[in-house]
Amino acid sequence: MIIMSSNILSGVDTVLDVGQSWITINALIWLWAFGFCHLLFMNTSDSEEDSYNERSALVQCESPTIPSYHQDHDMSLPQETDTKRGRPVSSGLDEPGLVERERAATPDGEEEELTLKYGAKHVIMLFIPVTLCMVVVVATIKSVSFYTEKTSQQLIYTPFKEDPNSVGQRLLYSLLNTIVMISVIVVMTIILVVLYKYRCYKFIHGWLILSSLMLLFWFSFMYLGEVFKTYNVAMDYPTLAMIIWNFGVVGMICIHWKGPLRLQQAYLIVISALMALIFIKYLPEWSAWVILAAISIYDLIAVLCPKGPLRMLVETAQERNEPIFPALIYSSAMVWMVGMADSNNPDSADERQRNEGGALAQEGVESEDDVALGGRRRCSAEEDLEEDRGVKLGLGDFIFYSVLVGKAAANGGDWNTTLACFVAILIGLCLTLLLLAIFKKALPALPISITFGLVFYFSTDNLVRPFMDSLAAHQYYI
Amino acid sequence: MTLAVFFGCAFIAFGPSFALFVFTIAKDPLRVIILIAGAFFWLLSLLLSSLVWFIAIKASNSQDLTLQRGLLIFGVFFSVLLQEVFRFAYYRLLRKATEGLAAISDDDGSAISVRQMAYVAGLGFGIMSGAFSMINILSDSLGPGTVGIFGDSQYYFITAALMTLALTLLHTFWGVVFFEGCEKSRWWVIAAVVSLHLLVAGLSLLNPLYEGSLPPVYVITLATGVWAFFSSGGSLHSLSALCTLCGFESRASRTMTEVPLSKTPNPQPLPGRRSMWLPTAPGVCSRQES
């Protein structure tokens, strides 16, 4: 890998340059990986023969025929071909999807209300992790100066160096950088779709494991090193090795196999934050903004156009009734049904097996046969029923939201801009979820939020900041 | 300076609104969304008014200081007017949304009434307004420095915090009163809210003569709070019941739905029925029709 660096290699720099090569490898992997990841998924694979009635499940505790919820990406497990319900592939707002199926039974008004009622809860279930990720990124940016120091090293995907003196050239080079980066992402996504179509699952899984390995071990090591430097903490290598080893191994287990839901969510948030910090550091100033804009346009095209790679990916996955790489998607579903297998149900063993196989088995797996028992169990866990269907958001979305807010925080000391971008992104996410509830299909989560975020960033930075500064100087209040 | 001032001013400015958020809003997802959308609307109004001010500044002579100051004062008043316009716009939006939510009436209180939305929207405006006024000042107060080294007032931070607190509460009260006025089509209420807001902004122009700005603003805050309390359905009866029964009885074992003791609507008791206030949890009373 050619590293663009103008440093003379010294002892420290040798390590850093090795690090840069790993960074570029990893960034390559990740660009590819979340080239498809910034999607908001909506379950549309449940076909017309779904007969469950969720409202009756909540109210009457009958056998509610809740669909099976397969999240395992271990393809060696037997797929049940006899179940007519289909499996939610990567379900977003499932309740609207489920509610949609019972259109014949309930009037439209009630369906809308159920949509809104569940929609609000899911919006909050996404607000919290997005907020946490942004808080981590902003806190790091404001305290650890490493991530705001400009280096002469750049990622290989932004080969043109911006010259701060000439506006025209800077603009041109940032556009060129963007073109390069987006082309890399497009190529990677197409490769991924091709691999997925031809069922090269082992390759894909291996690559994902390698990339999360890099992120959990190497990037967190770098991050910890910078934090220790900032706070002048003395640390020895054995202790650090043990910390990083434990952190990384538990992370790998949680993300790729199974673990407590909260821990998995925490790890996904942390790795999104780490990746966002890397982008904030290594993307040149203007290129970063243009890339953000371009990637939301690409997201829009790739998900909504009939021949878009992401749409093809989602449709292929839905045809095969497979989940899409749960390791790279944040899921907010609650834990229920784990270990609740009924002892005199012969299928409970099957369920347990499926539980073990699933990467996100916490979401609960239930076969068609113990639906009746499940219904009775669900009576007692009625209030959990609402929470067992989570919303899913790709990690790429977390990363780019945090990049936007982090860059807003990195420029100058103005907190108003950061706060404005934060609110704008949350509102964009809310609107996207509203659209998801209306259209009920996979939607890109980036465009609206990033557009709002960019608009608010530039307008707050250039218009609101001088106004508020003048007001604060005179202590006028509006 | 530094940490003591930072925490002191932060708690003064944001303590009450944070408490209101934690106790009345955080549990309900719909209220959180309405809060953030309210903050977004306030932000939009600020954006537009800054745009107008910026254009005016750029079009004028930047050397003329009195002109700049005059333009800033114009910016202040224009921003106030625009905030009220956006408050009205938010009211219209929420009314449209209420129709969608109106039929969820058989559930456990997930529906939200216009009065609750008024309170939440007002609080959203207040929190965002307070945050924008105060956050930069707070972050500056963390670092080393001398306040008023060029002859300005030493009490900058504390007065900023107090003013922010007053404005946050005022926005909350104005939200309640404004929405109530719109609901009942009492346009004098809306005019009163707008003029009060203009008055408060005008009083802040007296700074750094803090005696001229802070006490009147707090008097206005208190008065508007009382107005909002009565406008949202509170009464002296409910207040006295609150004081006598709540502090008196120990925790009862009844499980009733909690009614938070804020400006959320307490519908007037129907004539002829006695309503008893019973404590259900420490510090919280709920109403039970007898």
Side-chain angles (χ1 to χ4, degrees):
Chain A
M1 288 270 174
I2 302 172
I3 311 296
M4 304 181 66
S5 162
S6 58
N7 290 337
I8 312 274
L9 286 181
S10 66
V12 171
D13 283 338
T14 316
V15 174
L16 271 180
D17 275 338
V18 170
Q20 302 316 318
S21 64
W22 283 119
I23 287 172
T24 52
I25 292 175
N26 199 15
L28 176 74
I29 294 166
W30 273 89
L31 279 173
W32 161 69
F34 60 74
F36 76 88
C37 259
H38 45 272
L39 282 182
L40 206 58
F41 287 107
M42 179 65 209
N43 171 34
T44 52
S45 70
D46 291 49
S47 52
E48 299 71 43
E49 52 263 25
D50 291 335
S51 56
Y52 42 80
N53 183 343
E54 194 181 65
R55 272 188 99 201
S56 65
L58 288 174
V59 173
Q60 297 159 23
C61 289
E62 294 175 329
S63 59
T65 63
I66 301 290
S68 308
Y69 224 86
H70 276 274
Q71 294 298 330
D72 34 305
H73 63 251
D74 184 351
M75 304 307 158
S76 62
L77 287 175
Q79 301 281 341
E80 280 153 7
T81 53
D82 55 341
T83 151
K84 294 195 179 56
R85 267 183 303 257
R87 280 163 199 82
V89 173
S90 319
S91 37
L93 283 170
D94 281 327
E95 281 75 8
L98 302 179
V99 167
E100 184 194 39
R101 311 295 175 253
E102 30 165 337
R103 207 166 255 162
T106 60
D108 270 341
E110 293 181 25
E111 168 199 324
E112 280 302 312
E113 292 137 29
L114 273 175
T115 305
L116 283 167
K117 174 178 168 188
Y118 289 115
K121 198 164 201 156
H122 290 112
V123 171
I124 300 301
M125 286 207 281
L126 279 187
F127 272 9
I128 295 176
V130 169
T131 308
L132 279 175
C133 192
M134 288 194 219
V135 161
V136 169
V137 169
V138 169
T140 309
I141 293 272
K142 289 285 185 186
S143 54
V144 179
S145 62
F146 169 73
Y147 289 103
T148 43
E149 285 163 4
K150 286 299 140 197
T151 73
S152 51
Q153 293 164 330
Q154 291 187 178
L155 290 177
I156 197 174
Y157 316 109
T158 52
F160 298 92
K161 289 178 91 67
E162 290 180 8
D163 176 17
N165 299 323
S166 149
V167 169
Q169 193 204 35
R170 201 168 185 187
L171 201 58
L172 178 69
Y173 278 5
S174 55
L175 279 171
L176 292 175
N177 279 335
T178 309
I179 292 175
V180 171
M181 178 79 106
I182 299 290
S183 331
V184 168
I185 290 182
V186 169
V187 162
M188 289 299 177
T189 312
I190 293 178
I191 292 179
L192 170 73
V193 172
V194 162
L195 283 175
Y196 192 70
K197 259 191 172 339
Y198 291 110
R199 299 182 189 264
C200 308
Y201 295 130
K202 294 250 187 284
F203 191 65
I204 295 176
H205 290 312
W207 209 337
L208 285 180
I209 288 180
L210 182 67
S211 69
S212 46
L213 210 70
M214 284 297 119
L215 208 59
L216 281 170
F217 287 92
W218 180 253
F219 281 8
S220 55
F221 167 68
M222 273 175 57
Y223 178 80
L224 263 187
E226 292 309 320
V227 168
F228 290 149
K229 271 190 231 168
T230 305
Y231 292 107
N232 210 11
V233 172
M235 175 64 69
D236 55 308
Y237 273 114
T239 312
L240 186 65
M242 200 160 74
I243 295 174
I244 298 287
W245 172 254
N246 279 299
F247 178 78
V249 168
V250 174
M252 290 300 290
I253 293 176
C254 274
I255 295 174
H256 290 282
W257 192 41
K258 58 177 182 166
L261 181 70
R262 289 281 179 235
L263 197 60
Q264 185 196 30
Q265 291 173 342
Y267 267 105
L268 289 174
I269 292 175
V270 163
I271 62 179
S272 308
L274 285 176
M275 200 62 209
L277 285 168
I278 293 296
F279 272 137
I280 293 173
K281 180 163 175 72
Y282 289 109
L283 285 179
E285 279 285 337
W286 290 22
S287 307
W289 296 112
V290 186
I291 284 174
L292 274 174
I295 206 162
S296 49
I297 298 175
Y298 161 71
D299 199 9
L300 198 63
I301 297 175
V303 174
L304 296 180
C305 283
K307 277 300 163 195
L310 298 179
R311 183 162 163 159
M312 280 175 21
L313 185 72
V314 170
E315 283 169 0
T316 317
Q318 284 175 354
E319 276 165 31
R320 298 182 193 168
N321 272 330
E322 287 162 4
I324 305 184
F325 310 125
L328 285 170
I329 296 183
Y330 176 93
S331 153
S332 55
M334 300 281 177
V335 181
W336 76 289
M337 289 289 296
V338 173
M340 277 172 75
D342 200 343
S343 56
N344 44 3
N345 183 356
D347 285 318
S348 63
D350 197 20
E351 174 187 317
R352 269 195 293 272
Q353 183 200 6
R354 261 177 282 122
N355 262 332
E356 255 102 64
L360 292 177
Q362 305 89 304
E363 278 154 295
V365 172
E366 190 200 356
S367 76
E368 199 177 16
D369 301 329
D370 57 358
V371 149
L373 290 156
R376 281 190 278 282
R377 247 175 286 150
R378 220 163 284 107
C379 285
S380 56
E382 194 178 88
E383 63 278 11
D384 294 332
L385 190 65
E386 294 179 29
E387 301 169 322
D388 70 329
R389 311 203 191 296
V391 208
K392 289 180 174 46
L393 186 63
L395 285 196
D397 294 319
F398 279 88
I399 293 173
F400 284 115
Y401 293 163
S402 307
V403 165
L404 197 145
V405 175
K407 285 205 77 66
N411 286 348
D414 196 34
W415 284 91
N416 287 345
T417 318
T418 314
L419 195 59
C421 289
F422 168 70
V423 171
I425 287 182
L426 285 188
I427 291 292
L429 189 59
C430 193
L431 284 176
T432 311
L433 285 168
L434 189 68
L435 286 178
L436 186 67
I438 295 176
F439 290 111
K440 300 181 181 44
K441 57 181 210 167
L443 283 184
L446 279 184
I448 302 181
S449 288
I450 298 287
T451 310
F452 277 9
L454 287 175
V455 164
F456 273 82
Y457 171 74
F458 285 109
S459 49
T460 311
D461 204 31
N462 297 315
L463 301 175
V464 175
R465 179 149 64 134
F467 186 48
M468 293 308 285
D469 283 347
S470 314
L471 289 180
H474 292 99
Q475 259 190 322
Y476 296 162
Y477 285 89
I478 52 172
Chain B
M1 277 292 283
T2 64
L3 273 183
V5 171
F6 172 76
F7 279 115
C9 291
F11 290 145
I12 290 177
F14 296 120
S17 44
F18 182 65
L20 285 174
F21 175 78
V22 165
F23 289 120
T24 61
I25 297 195
K27 292 270 162 46
D28 189 356
L30 200 53
R31 290 183 195 172
V32 175
I33 295 175
I34 295 179
L35 184 90
I36 297 189
F40 181 71
F41 269 75
W42 187 89
L43 202 57
L44 276 178
S45 80
L46 180 68
L47 208 84
L48 286 178
S49 50
S50 315
L51 178 66
V52 167
W53 173 81
F54 192 78
I55 292 174
I57 286 286
K58 287 299 174 195
S60 68
N61 179 16
S62 63
Q63 306 303 321
D64 188 356
L65 285 177
T66 43
L67 179 64
Q68 299 296 311
R69 197 142 168 266
L71 281 177
L72 191 62
I73 295 176
F74 160 72
V76 166
F77 288 122
F78 185 73
S79 175
V80 166
L81 289 174
L82 216 55
Q83 283 177 44
E84 298 305 323
V85 166
F86 270 82
R87 205 195 296 272
F88 184 70
Y90 194 40
Y91 165 74
R92 296 297 296 267
L93 180 71
L94 285 177
R95 283 299 277 150
K96 283 218 169 102
T98 315
E99 274 127 41
L101 300 170
I104 310 178
S105 51
D106 51 359
D107 270 293
D108 48 350
S110 58
I112 189 166
S113 71
V114 178
R115 279 175 172 165
Q116 291 176 358
M117 287 199 294
Y119 158 68
V120 175
L123 190 61
F125 268 57
I127 288 180
M128 203 59 180
S129 159
F132 260 64
S133 312
M134 199 61 197
I135 294 248
N136 276 332
I137 297 176
L138 279 179
S139 88
D140 283 339
S141 74
L142 261 180
T146 306
V147 191
I149 196 171
F150 290 120
D152 298 306
S153 163
Q154 292 177 35
Y155 303 111
Y156 184 82
F157 289 130
I158 192 98
T159 51
L162 287 170
M163 196 71 187
T164 306
L165 169 66
L167 265 180
T168 308
L169 292 176
L170 273 172
H171 270 291
T172 314
F173 300 150
W174 284 332
V176 172
V177 165
F178 191 95
F179 277 42
E180 193 69 22
C182 287
E183 283 282 296
K184 305 257 167 56
S185 296
R186 292 185 194 149
W187 306 114
W188 64 268
V189 166
I190 296 179
V193 167
V194 175
S195 14
L196 273 179
H197 197 167
L198 285 169
L199 178 63
V200 167
L203 281 173
S204 78
L205 293 177
L206 289 174
N207 281 332
L209 184 70
Y210 297 125
E211 300 85 350
S213 68
L214 275 178
V217 166
Y218 269 90
V219 165
I220 294 177
T221 310
L222 236 57
T224 322
V226 170
W227 184 17
F229 177 70
F230 286 110
S231 159
S232 66
S235 65
L236 289 173
H237 171 80
S238 54
L239 259 186
S240 63
L242 183 72
C243 294
T244 53
L245 279 175
C246 256
F248 210 72
E249 300 192 5
S250 56
R251 292 142 209 188
S253 58
R254 283 178 208 254
T255 52
M256 294 212 2
T257 47
E258 243 176 13
V259 175
L261 296 175
S262 62
K263 270 149 282 311
T264 47
N266 304 313
Q268 293 283 6
L270 297 171
R273 298 182 77 176
R274 252 184 314 132
S275 55
M276 288 177 34
W277 287 86
L278 291 167
T280 57
V284 172
C285 287
S286 68
R287 193 167 67 95
Q288 183 192 26
E289 297 293 315
S290 60

